[in-house]
Amino acid sequence: MVNIQIEIQGRDAIAATNELLSISGLSGSYEVESELEREGTLVTIATIIGIVGGTMAIAEQIRQWYKDYKSGKSDQKIEKVLIVTSQGKRLLLQDATIEQIQQVLEDIN
C-alpha cells in the first residue's frame, strides 16, 4: 500500500493535524509520537492513505494550511512539517512550492 506520512512538530500539532486531515479529498489518520516529543514540543505523524480529487487543489490547500499554522493562526502554531513518501522522498514544507507538494502527493495515486 502506498501512503504518505506527514510529521508535524509544535505545541499545537494535534489541532493542526486534525485540521490537515479535514481537508476535502484527503483520507488518513494520525498518532502522537510520545518518544519523539522534544522539550515540550508535540510531534504527530499523519498517514495519508487516499486522495480523492485533483492533487493540485489539495496541494494548494496543504500549502495554505501550513502558512496559516506557521504564522500562528488563532494563536495556534506549529514549528516544522515534513512529508515522507513510502518511496523515501522527503519534503520540508518550509520552502516548498505548491508544485513540489503536488508532485509528492501524486506518489499516492
Side-chain angles (χ1 to χ4, degrees), residues 50-101:
I51 296 176
V52 177
T55 55
M56 177 58 88
I58 293 172
E60 289 172 351
Q61 291 178 66
I62 290 172
R63 182 70 186 148
Q64 187 60 51
W65 163 86
Y66 176 77
K67 288 169 91 175
D68 288 347
Y69 271 93
K70 190 66 178 170
S71 66
K73 171 189 173 181
S74 303
D75 296 326
Q76 295 183 341
K77 199 164 184 172
I78 56 176
E79 296 169 17
K80 179 179 168 183
V81 177
L82 177 66
I83 300 175
V84 181
T85 70
S86 57
Q87 292 84 21
K89 291 182 185 174
R90 301 167 67 86
L91 178 64
L92 188 61
L93 283 190
Q94 181 175 341
D95 296 319
T97 65
I98 292 170
E99 291 78 17
Q100 289 171 314
I101 297 168

Side-chain angles (χ1 to χ4, degrees), residues 28-46:
S29 61
Y30 78 93
E31 59 187 57
V32 177
E33 292 293 319
S34 58
E35 67 271 5
L36 294 178
E37 191 171 328
R38 297 177 195 103
E39 299 175 10
T41 299
L42 286 173
V43 178
T44 61
I45 305 290

